[in-house]
Amino acid sequence: MDKIIETDVLVIGAGPIGLAAANLLADQGVNVMLVERHAGTSDEPRAISVTDETLRVMQQIGILDRLAPEMLMDTGARYFGRKEQLLAEVYPASPRLGQPGKSQFDQPVMESLLLEAARARPLIDVRFTTEAFRITDAPEHVDTVLIDDDGKHTVRSKWVLACDGGRSPVRSQLGIPMEGSTQVQKWIVVDIINTPGDPERFSEFHCNGTRPVVVVPGVNGRRRYEFMLLPGEEAAAMTSPDAIMGLIAPFQAIAPEDIRRAAVYVAHQRVALNYRVGHVLLAGDAAHMMPPFAGQALNAGIRDVANLAWKIAANVRGAGTDALVNTYQAERRPHAVDMVRLSHRIGTVVMNVHPALTAIRDAAITASGIVPTAKAWLAGMKFLKQPHFTVGCVAEPGNTIPKRAAALVGRSLSQPQVTLPTGDAVPLDAVLGTGWALLYFPHDRRAPLEVRRVDTGHLGTEGTLVTDTSGAFAAVAGSGMTLVVRPDRYVAAATTPDTELAAFEALAAYVPELARLQETEAGLPAVR
């Protein structure tokens, strides 16, 4: 029998989702083995748009300072009609999370930085040219047979996290079905380099009713073009340099050496029925696939692992229950379904080639400009609904909690710049740390708020006074309330002294030691 290699978590797939998961897990103090069947990270620029929440995770991992110079930050989108008239210009609403709402990035750059970060973490064992062959679940662990250049090995872990893509062999082995459909239309995606000049900070959707086109700018001369293929057009012919140069000619002149990548794809809109079987969990494209039109596929995957990593780590340490891990699907799947539907709806608008329907579409979108609320909804990209957990690892606000404060529960905490007692200004996340935290807002609106890091392993807290002048917490300023913040920066509870006990008892079903915090003097804000 082969020697069994033991680790806490086995992550399968070293794309951006698997790499992010490995880094987040290691930062929670667990041992990780990350395996990838290819010889290295991908050099193909697949995903191209990131949200503020994804950038917040990159900040947390520690690569944002090197990623940002390779990105076109803070971008919007323009939609053009069948006569190339401007239908709408959309731009993300004011960001809450300390990062721009939408930016354009280069996936190979992100992957290389995430890999560098993983290799710098002693708790991560990175293995390329290694394929997961067979998974066998047991009551207390899971065994996975790996195949590499040296033969077969068995890895025993407490959890397996499958980030192995849309064709996920792990999902197939587990027999997890996906619901949804496959898009009929095929698209060719072309990435080019050496584009001169400074890029405009807008993607372009040319909904021309003949051959729809999407143009996405980038930095350092990068630009992406996506063209819908027409009936009878073959992939081999349309990806030839001559065909590509002809397609791009109305927008710019390029040479064959400017073509970085060209591929034909068919989009899927599918979501796995289950995100978990035993000790195996799915994340990223293994759990959901969506068309590219809303730019949410990679972002949904990053949200997955940010939601899941701390839960797995808590369970490995004995601080989190199995019910805590189960909240992953309850919290993440509904939002993934929403993003798949949104991506499909936007695609339907963009890809329409029926003359009468495109005319009606253009008229309807233009008419929405005369309705202020509809225009604000569209222009502010408010159709990109943010996650809001009403079930899972959250405590339902009591009737005595004001509505504005109650609305914070289950949502991502704002990240303003705050001022420390030293006078230094830092992002709030730098004060929160990597674990649970309490934010106490004194009755005096002018007084600093107190941030307490909660170490559930030792039931201790560490307090820091910070001043926020941004107004990000207007809903709770001067209230005497406490926000209970999870390691993934989502608000688990909003409490007053009268409701604190009930909130901590509700959360104790997932993290039992939190209940004891409420009973100890160390668990209470010092300024009360």
Side-chain angles (χ1 to χ4, degrees):
M1 182 178 177
D2 291 339
K3 178 182 177 182
I4 294 177
I5 306 170
E6 295 194 0
T7 190
D8 292 326
V9 183
L10 174 66
V11 177
I12 301 174
I17 309 307
L19 286 163
N23 281 292
L24 293 170
L25 284 162
D27 288 348
Q28 290 288 328
V30 300
N31 291 291
V32 184
M33 181 182 290
L34 173 64
V35 300
E36 167 60 50
R37 64 187 181 92
H38 293 107
T41 56
S42 172
D43 62 355
E44 293 187 350
R46 293 172 178 167
I48 199 168
S49 295
V50 288
T51 65
D52 50 357
E53 197 164 356
T54 292
L55 293 183
R56 189 178 194 176
V57 173
M58 298 302 113
Q59 172 193 331
Q60 183 178 347
I61 292 172
I63 68 167
L64 185 57
D65 59 335
R66 288 167 290 161
L67 180 62
E70 295 287 339
M71 298 176 57
L72 186 63
M73 308 282 280
D74 200 16
T75 60
R78 290 174 176 146
Y79 291 83
F80 298 89
R82 57 199 292 265
K83 298 180 180 179
E84 285 298 325
Q85 75 275 29
L86 180 64
L87 297 178
E89 183 172 287
V90 303
Y91 198 79
S94 300
R96 301 184 308 107
L97 307 184
Q99 305 296 340
K102 178 176 175 287
S103 301
Q104 313 307 143
F105 80 112
D106 191 64
Q107 182 168 327
V109 173
M110 176 185 282
E111 289 191 21
S112 65
L113 292 173
L114 285 170
L115 176 59
E116 183 180 332
R119 284 180 164 155
R121 285 163 164 79
L123 293 177
I124 303 177
D125 178 3
V126 180
R127 302 191 181 197
F128 286 101
T129 322
T130 303
E131 188 165 2
F133 178 66
R134 184 175 62 249
I135 297 174
T136 305
D137 204 15
E140 301 298 330
H141 63 264
V142 56
D143 287 343
T144 306
V145 176
L146 303 180
I147 300 177
D148 59 20
D149 292 340
D150 296 324
K152 293 183 180 180
H153 312 277
T154 298
V155 173
R156 177 164 293 174
S157 58
K158 296 180 176 66
W159 295 96
V160 169
L161 179 53
C163 306
D164 54 343
R167 297 178 180 177
S168 175
V170 173
R171 188 186 66 230
S172 297
Q173 182 189 325
L174 298 177
I176 299 176
M178 301 193 85
E179 62 178 4
S181 60
T182 297
Q183 185 175 286
V184 174
Q185 298 86 350
K186 294 181 180 180
W187 283 70
I188 176 174
V189 56
V190 182
D191 287 284
I192 66 170
I193 55 175
N194 301 323
T195 300
D198 295 327
E200 283 200 82
R201 296 181 181 274
F202 287 89
S203 300
E204 297 178 1
F205 292 80
H206 295 269
C207 314
N208 51 44
T210 54
R211 186 193 295 278
V213 183
V214 181
V215 185
V216 185
V219 299
N220 300 328
R222 303 184 193 117
R223 182 173 290 178
R224 170 169 292 181
Y225 288 92
E226 299 185 22
F227 301 90
M228 193 174 84
L229 296 190
L230 305 180
E233 292 180 335
E234 298 295 332
M238 297 305 295
T239 53
S240 70
D242 286 344
I244 290 170
M245 289 189 292
L247 288 171
I248 294 177
F251 300 92
Q252 69 179 99
I254 65 168
E257 57 268 24
D258 297 329
I259 302 171
R260 183 183 183 191
R261 170 183 178 253
V264 172
Y265 71 87
V266 177
H268 304 277
Q269 42 262 344
R270 299 180 184 274
V271 182
L273 288 182
N274 298 302
Y275 281 19
R276 174 186 177 184
V277 172
H279 292 89
V280 185
L281 301 125
L282 307 180
D285 285 356
H288 42 72
M289 294 181 285
M290 60 190 75
F293 301 105
Q296 291 297 299
L298 176 134
N299 297 290
I302 295 295
R303 287 189 182 107
D304 288 345
V305 295
N307 181 286
L308 183 57
W310 68 272
K311 297 175 180 180
I312 292 177
N315 182 266
V316 168
R317 296 194 307 265
T321 64
D322 190 74
L324 176 65
V325 179
N326 270 343
T327 63
Y328 166 57
Q329 174 166 324
E331 292 180 351
R332 282 297 308 136
R333 192 176 187 278
H335 189 259
V337 170
D338 286 344
M339 291 300 98
V340 168
R341 289 173 178 166
L342 173 65
S343 299
H344 178 59
R345 286 199 298 269
I346 294 177
T348 300
V349 172
V350 172
M351 295 186 295
N352 200 312
V353 294
H354 191 284
L357 293 179
T358 53
I360 293 171
R361 175 202 65 197
D362 292 0
I365 294 175
T366 303
S368 71
I370 65 174
V371 183
T373 54
K375 184 176 181 180
W377 178 84
L378 179 64
M381 296 178 72
K382 295 181 181 179
F383 48 82
L384 289 175
K385 186 168 66 173
Q386 299 302 308
H388 180 207
F389 308 144
T390 56
V391 297
C393 187
V394 291
E396 184 178 352
N399 295 331
T400 60
I401 303 296
K403 288 184 178 180
R404 290 184 66 203
L408 300 176
V409 177
R411 300 184 189 275
S412 189
L413 183 75
S414 291
Q415 187 194 192
Q417 289 283 114
V418 295
T419 305
L420 301 174
T422 60
D424 295 325
V426 298
L428 178 60
D429 285 5
V431 186
L432 293 177
T434 60
W436 288 79
L438 306 178
L439 273 65
Y440 175 68
F441 297 84
H443 289 288
D444 184 352
R445 298 179 66 94
R446 298 166 298 177
L449 65 96
E450 182 178 12
V451 179
R452 288 215 161 203
R453 298 184 182 185
V454 177
D455 182 350
T456 58
H458 298 90
L459 296 181
T461 56
E462 176 186 342
T464 302
L465 296 176
V466 300
T467 302
D468 167 40
T469 58
S470 71
F473 299 112
V476 285
S479 66
M481 295 178 58
T482 298
L483 296 182
V484 183
V485 183
R486 309 183 333 181
D488 61 355
R489 319 303 197 206
Y490 276 74
V491 178
T495 73
T496 62
D498 292 338
T499 64
E500 189 174 65
L501 176 60
F504 276 99
E505 285 182 343
L507 296 175
Y510 309 108
V511 185
E513 290 179 329
L514 285 177
R516 303 211 317 259
L517 277 174
Q518 195 274 337
E519 301 171 359
T520 64
E521 183 177 354
L524 298 176
V527 293
R528 284 190 184 174

